Amino acid sequence: MPRIRRSRLALTALVTAALVGVGGAAVAVNAQPAIHTKTPRTAESITNIDVLRQQIANYYGDPLKTGEIGARSNYVKELRGIETRAARYLVHAKAHHGKKKAILLDVDDTTLATYNYEIDSNWDYDPASNGEFVTDQKFPAVPGMVKLVRLAKADGYKIFYLTGRGAAQEEATLGNLTQDGVGVDAHYPQPTDPDGAGPEDGLYTKPDLAAYPQYLKDRCGDDKCTTIEYKSATRKHIESLGYDIVANFGDQYSDLKGGAADRGFKLPNPSYYLP
Ligand SMILES: [Mg+2]
């Protein structure tokens, strides 16, 4: 065998060993990143990440990075446009098939603004430090959203919240959204109890796999649901209880994909992407 060919074989073996790993634990050779995007050709064509952080702070009307959202910020202006469109839509929208009309809202950066945590963590999410913000109920309302949800409720809409936050964070999340005297009380309407005397309370947090309700098992089998599966299966379940989700509000595309809502409203979030 020619020398060059043998060395290439050795190299191939080396690469294979690296991919498979010592001890034979298979690493997915075809692993893909969660976010599919372009590959920039040059560094100059990428916004420098420190500059980008400053641009995001400017967008939130907070150039000195205090963590407070400016009332006249472009973020607030952009929100106002979306909220105005949503309010006009909700006034005229009707529930289908004789069902009760409802709206459904995500929590982080849809009802509660986590910009203060981005500043605190310098956009470096960490479950432990984020968990402290959740437990201490530190998040203010997304500007304009309390008014919108209250208008919807006054117009007869039932109110549901659906979040990727874990079940262990449910009590603190409800307290931050509504009022419990701990940390921030955003004064959103209480969630609608969808099933009367049943186990559900209208604020849906993500259960551990072992505690999946039947509708998540039906969708995802023995596996953990993806965000899109978890959220769309939960919406479908809510609709099966006699509600029509007329509008679904989220800051992530994964909040809005998968159906079981008449219309989705995408709120701005330049800080993170959840597939
Ligand atoms: Mg969110």
Side-chain angles (χ1 to χ4, degrees), residues 75-76 78-84 86-87 90 103-107 109-113 140-153 159 161 177 186-189 247-251 265-268:
Y75 174 55
V76 168
E78 192 171 0
L79 282 171
R80 290 261 149 80
I82 297 158
E83 289 158 357
T84 302
L90 289 173
I103 63 169
L104 180 139
L105 305 110
D106 167 56
V107 174
D109 296 296
T110 301
T111 45
L112 299 178
V142 168
M145 287 301 286
V146 175
K147 188 175 162 199
L148 178 67
V149 180
R150 289 191 164 274
L151 276 172
K153 187 181 159 85
I159 312 295
Y161 303 97
L177 282 169
H187 295 279
Y188 280 96
N248 173 22
F249 294 86
D251 65 294
F265 287 91
K266 169 73 173 67
L267 276 67

Side-chain angles (χ1 to χ4, degrees), residues 4-19:
I4 191 160
R5 177 129 170 75
R6 199 165 7 187
S7 65
R8 179 166 292 180
L9 275 177
L11 186 66
T12 305
L14 203 69
V15 169
T16 306
L19 286 172

Side-chain angles (χ1 to χ4, degrees), residues 66-211:
T66 65
E68 277 202 38
I69 296 167
R72 284 199 277 264
S73 62
N74 289 344
Y75 174 55
V76 168
K77 283 181 199 151
E78 192 171 0
L79 282 171
R80 290 261 149 80
I82 297 158
E83 289 158 357
T84 302
R85 278 198 296 283
R88 283 194 193 125
Y89 165 74
L90 289 173
V91 166
H92 298 291
K94 297 214 172 10
H96 298 127
H97 315 298
K99 291 181 168 183
K100 287 169 270 191
K101 62 181 184 178
I103 63 169
L104 180 139
L105 305 110
D106 167 56
V107 174
D108 289 302
D109 296 296
T110 301
T111 45
L112 299 178
T114 71
Y115 172 72
N116 57 357
Y117 176 70
E118 301 303 342
I119 291 297
D120 190 81
S121 65
N122 198 28
W123 285 270
D124 187 11
Y125 177 88
D126 168 69
S129 65
N130 183 265
E132 285 177 25
F133 270 65
V134 171
T135 305
D136 296 344
Q137 306 183 27
K138 285 187 173 179
F139 301 113
V142 168
M145 287 301 286
V146 175
K147 188 175 162 199
L148 178 67
V149 180
R150 289 191 164 274
L151 276 172
K153 187 181 159 85
D155 201 20
Y157 285 89
K158 306 299 178 189
I159 312 295
F160 299 113
Y161 303 97
L162 171 56
T163 175
R165 290 187 183 186
Q169 296 180 321
E170 175 152 344
E171 195 183 333
T173 301
L174 183 65
N176 198 160
L177 282 169
T178 60
Q179 59 255 3
D180 66 351
V182 178
V184 175
D185 286 339
H187 295 279
Y188 280 96
Q190 289 286 336
T192 300
D193 178 353
D195 57 352
E200 297 170 36
D201 60 8
L203 165 57
Y204 292 84
T205 49
K206 205 172 188 176
D208 292 331
L209 181 58

